Amino acid sequence: MEEVTLTINGKNVSCPSGTSILNAALENGIKIPTLCNHIHLEPVGACRLCLVEDEKTGRTMASCVTPVAPDMTILTDSPTIKTHRINIIRLMMANHPESCIVCSQGNRCELRQIAAELGVGQIDLYPMPHYTGLEEANPFIIRDLSKCILCGKCIRADHELVVVGAIDYNLRGFKSRPATVHEMPLEKSSCTFCGTCVSICPTGALSVKNSAYVGSPHKKSSTICGFCGVGCSIEMGSVDGQIVEVTPSHNENTVNRSTLCVRGHFAHDYLNVSERLSTPLIRSGGELLPATWDEALDVVAQGLISAKKKYGPQSVAFLGSSKCSVEENYIFQKMARVILGTNNVDNGSYGSERKVISLVSERLDGGGRIKPLAGLEEAEIIFVIGADPTETVPVVGYYLKRASRIKGIPLIVADSRRTGLVPFSSLWLAVSPGSDVELINGIAALVSKKDGVDSSFIDKFTQGFENYRDGLSAFDLERACRVTGVDMVSMERAADLLRGKKIAFVIGHGILQQKYGASAMDAIINLALMTGSLVGDNKGFYFIARENNEAGALDMGTVPDFLPGRRPFHNDVDRKYWERIWDVRLSPDPGLNLMRMIEEAEKGNLKALYVMGENPLRGLPQTERIRNAFNNLELLVVQDILTTETTHIAHVVLAGASFSEKGGSFTNMEGRIQSFEPVVSPPGEAKPDWEILGLLSKKMGYPEGYLSIQKISAEISRNVPIYSELGKGREEAWVRETSNLRLFNQDGMGDSIPFSAVTSKEGELFDKEYPFAAILGSLKYHLGSGTRTGLSKRIKDFGLKGEVEISPEDAMKLNLEAGDKARISSPHGSIEREVTLNKGLRPGRVFIPIAFHNNDVRQLIELTQLGEADSPGWNMRPVRVEKIRKNV
Ligand code: SF4
Ligand code: SF4
Ligand code: SF4
Ligand code: FES
């Protein structure tokens, strides 16, 4: 790009043409005051505070919207400019209410700060305040538009960043204000309570509702959101060791670009609840009683070692967590494998994605991992399958909506339900639950028939295409339409949109968690290979990660089938590698996954289970079955930050620290490894998980104590090639590609990737007794089973009921109206819910949100696998729906 040279305040400056004067100044350390400008918003030149003067021409201009030009001689602080700025601020202050002086947002109000910097004190103009009511009925946001300066940042954030369109300018002239349609309260509008507008508002017009604290936090610290796998960068504000505020980071290269979702912004208040554990507990006389760390760890160490001695290493198991850090997962699985000699290690992601991700990892030899979300806004076409990111990972939803609405990128959505992305899509494929294998193979058959394949990619990087193509030619498309419920016109349209394009696949729990997930993923990999869609930042697989460190837990080998670095446990070479490093002989016995652990506990073969950061009694189906299995254990250790359904039945409870109270790293769904530091101290005697594990290892005779997080990250970076960048003093690193496949190798050497055979699956079968497909999914207000978000006061105060959604046609048949109470039953249990009608559901399907009512929806599901081996199949169930009470 052409370089432009100019002077700013006498300093020679050079920058690419098209740069605004404001950015040119900022990049050269020259500060210009602004109110309506923001790093992630298109500049509009609304406030005029950033005026600068061209000394040569005497022309004044808004620097945020004026590009640099050769030979400009810009003054940012000339007497003329100062006078203009002071007048602008005086006018704004005159519009402000008198309460401005005592506003609780005063310390963070940019208007007040700039006024102070310019020496504007008492308002000397005739005051013309806008009196508007205070809107604070919802538990998240307070709106006091009397303090609005019409900078438009909230509206632009709502339209340009989160693409919701809940607010816009209303009325004209002096009365103009940002408002919802028909001035409805926010909770009745389409607002998602992401809070992005609040964190970007330069005045006190929009603020966070905080019943526990009023005023500015005493300390602000950067960290990573503790909820989902996007890993948003946040600032946590604290007062006296308590988190009182969360805002998005406004740095340039964060994954969330100044946005958050309702969970990240408002649900971290769960960190201060009375259910936090603050001391170790030991069961004695049927009760859990406080103990010292020494006492508790003695019981755990002796219990684990004696179980190993008495019953053998297979009698002990370790269930880790995708909520705990990379470092903690590493030493957790190491403790199991090295000290206890067992490969019985798993983590909570078993239920959400493990099987499918492991398959991809094996088929692509770990390649194609690095997927910056920014690539979605540069994609040729996006295919969203079995994912509703607007609810599960809302920041990914923002990327997709921006890609479609702002960049015009075609979007195909395959989902049984009309999700929040469907209005942004070019095509919605309302596929019948469980029939994605047929859908993908049908589309692939049509792409192949229409000659939409990438032959040079196929020749260079793959093998077995001919057989695969023959399989597609023989594929019964009419049957596929019948099974999927997608008509041929839509199938053809999908193939037309995809052919000849490189595809960015966004894959969610509709695939990851379904009973034929592995076969569906096999079919998706074939389609990606056929279209040459695997390498590059704007194509390939974007897997939705529900928990913040799902990827990191798998990378660190907190699973029975992989050792750290995602090296297969069954591979002798990889096992020998770790035997050398850990100086130990690793048992080659295949370990138990979560499901097998429960089954072995049921049979009485598993004697001791160590659970870190998971709550199986709330998260997994068939609670009573799990409770009975756990009651068979001689030792159940639960390490957690909260009192949960599972800590209640433990023999020993170890009080852990939350992510905000310790250091470590999380790996997000992009492959970005983000390190964080403690923001506050843990409550009472609670300790970081890594420290507890270090102390326990020592008690069990392991010589090396883990005295610092740095020591653990150094061990990881030394020995796990894909984490070689970890802990090098940087806040951020990326997973490294180390695949041996030619496709992912810089030098073009290595193996080619085989196509797999075309398979067919029936989809879900229904009978007269259970005629409805119940789709079990998340809403944005809760994460997973809701152990944490269910304790957030704000989320509770919002009063969501978790209604069952049913199509108007089915409601009519069942004589149901909105607000009626219905019983939903499966062969495994039943629940009761209020009914709401959803026109976006096809007849025969109902949607039930998980996490509500203590996550009782899990009682509808069977714990043991119903589909392919090791697939949880927990996202869909055939059910019956009956009316039990009329809305009154
Ligand atoms: S509410 Fe805040 S962000 Fe929105 S226009 Fe007013 S001052 Fe600007
Ligand atoms: S909270 Fe989010 S969705 Fe609601 S108006 Fe603000 S930016 Fe829009
Ligand atoms: S999208 Fe995920 S990481 Fe980002 S704020 Fe929401 S819950 Fe947190
Ligand atoms: S910052 Fe340039 S006009 Fe507001």
Side-chain angles (χ1 to χ4, degrees), residues 529-715:
L529 289 175
M530 182 169 82
T531 49
S533 303
L534 273 183
V535 183
D537 278 353
N538 61 346
K539 56 185 94 69
F541 304 135
Y542 297 76
F543 291 105
I544 302 297
R546 197 168 266 168
E547 296 285 356
N548 52 3
N549 197 33
E550 246 171 59
L554 190 53
D555 289 341
M556 290 303 111
T558 315
V559 286
D561 18 13
F562 285 119
L563 286 158
R566 291 209 191 185
R567 303 319 302 173
F569 186 84
H570 59 73
N571 185 335
D572 285 348
V573 176
D574 290 307
R575 246 192 357 268
K576 291 224 159 19
Y577 172 82
W578 282 104
E579 285 182 350
R580 254 195 326 275
I581 286 166
W582 290 332
D583 192 19
V584 73
R585 170 106 176 79
L586 289 174
S587 158
D589 294 340
L592 302 171
N593 63 30
L594 168 58
M595 200 55 53
R596 301 273 102 80
M597 288 176 194
I598 294 165
E599 286 170 355
E600 290 306 303
E602 273 178 328
K603 291 182 205 152
N605 296 333
L606 192 73
K607 301 293 182 186
L609 176 64
Y610 192 136
V611 180
M612 176 177 80
E614 285 296 331
N615 182 10
L617 257 66
R618 182 180 171 119
L620 299 182
Q622 295 188 295
T623 314
E624 279 318 302
R625 196 174 151 191
I626 299 169
R627 192 191 305 279
N628 291 336
F630 285 4
N631 281 341
N632 282 344
L633 295 165
E634 290 181 9
L635 177 68
L636 175 62
V637 182
V638 182
Q639 185 167 310
D640 209 313
I641 64 167
L642 294 163
T643 314
T644 68
E645 289 84 345
T646 310
T647 60
H648 282 147
I649 62 163
H651 298 108
V652 183
V653 175
L654 303 175
S658 80
F659 73 98
S660 53
E661 296 149 3
K662 62 187 176 187
S665 320
F666 293 140
T667 305
N668 80 349
M669 58 177 280
E670 303 171 297
R672 194 191 293 237
I673 310 165
Q674 305 189 94
S675 297
F676 52 89
E677 293 292 328
V679 174
V680 291
S681 304
E685 304 293 313
K687 287 183 189 298
D689 296 299
W690 63 265
E691 201 179 322
I692 301 171
L693 296 170
L695 291 170
L696 184 59
S697 301
K698 213 165 154 205
K699 286 241 180 233
M700 290 193 288
Y702 194 67
E704 188 167 3
Y706 285 109
L707 301 176
S708 73
I709 202 83
Q710 287 74 18
K711 201 166 172 194
I712 309 168
S713 32
E715 182 174 325

Side-chain angles (χ1 to χ4, degrees), residues 108-145:
R108 64 188 97 176
C109 172
E110 292 170 40
L111 174 64
R112 285 253 304 259
Q113 278 166 19
I114 293 171
E117 278 164 26
L118 293 174
V120 180
Q122 294 287 45
I123 305 157
D124 56 351
L125 296 175
Y126 185 75
M128 293 177 68
H130 297 264
Y131 291 109
T132 59
L134 205 64
E135 189 191 320
E136 54 177 346
N138 72 78
F140 307 112
I141 295 173
I142 302 175
R143 295 205 303 164
D144 176 2
L145 294 183

Side-chain angles (χ1 to χ4, degrees), residues 35 145 147-155 167 169 177-178 197 200-206:
L35 277 174
L145 294 183
K147 292 173 186 155
C148 175
I149 56 165
L150 272 185
C151 69
K153 270 168 146 176
C154 56
I155 296 169
I167 50 174
Y169 291 106
R177 282 292 170 266
C197 54
I200 236 163
C201 174
T203 71
L206 302 177

Side-chain angles (χ1 to χ4, degrees), residues 58 69 76 268 310 333 524 566 638 674 811 851 878:
T76 66
H268 282 108
K310 208 159 144 197
Q333 60 81 40
I524 295 169
R566 291 209 191 185
V638 182
Q674 305 189 94

Side-chain angles (χ1 to χ4, degrees), residues 225-232 260-261 263-265 393-395:
C225 175
F227 292 118
C228 85
V230 177
C232 292
L260 289 179
C261 75
R263 292 188 301 251
H265 214 136
V393 280
V395 165

Side-chain angles (χ1 to χ4, degrees), residues 34-37 45-50 62 64:
T34 63
L35 277 174
C36 71
N37 192 63
C47 73
R48 316 309 285 178
L49 207 67
C50 66
C64 64

